[in-house]
Amino acid sequence: MPRYEFRCRACGDTFEVNRTMADSAAPATCPAGHADTVKLLSTVSFATRGGSSTPRPAPATGGGCCGGSCGC
């Protein structure tokens, strides 16, 4: 189930809520009971098998007008 991050405007607390994608836009109440919250834009991170977080370089292309893959 997706996890969504919210921030409370009243107390400044940041918290997470697990809910379905269909309910992603529904309001959330902060753990302190405040109703004035906003959903935050979250980023996604993937780990590689070796546990390294170093980004992999982009694959090399053959060049040319269309990347070299179509042979034009």
Side-chain angles (χ1 to χ4, degrees):
M1 185 173 302
R3 179 175 290 171
Y4 299 95
E5 191 173 23
F6 289 83
R7 175 170 289 136
C8 178
R9 291 181 178 163
C11 67
D13 189 24
T14 301
F15 60 97
E16 295 177 343
V17 177
N18 292 331
R19 55 171 62 163
T20 64
M21 290 177 71
D23 294 331
S24 66
T29 302
C30 91
H34 304 119
D36 188 13
T37 61
V38 62
K39 187 169 87 167
L40 301 176
L41 181 61
S42 300
T43 58
V44 177
S45 175
F46 294 99
T48 59
R49 286 187 177 204
S52 172
S53 60
T54 305
R56 294 183 182 182
T61 60
C65 65
C66 54
S69 62
C70 66
C72 59

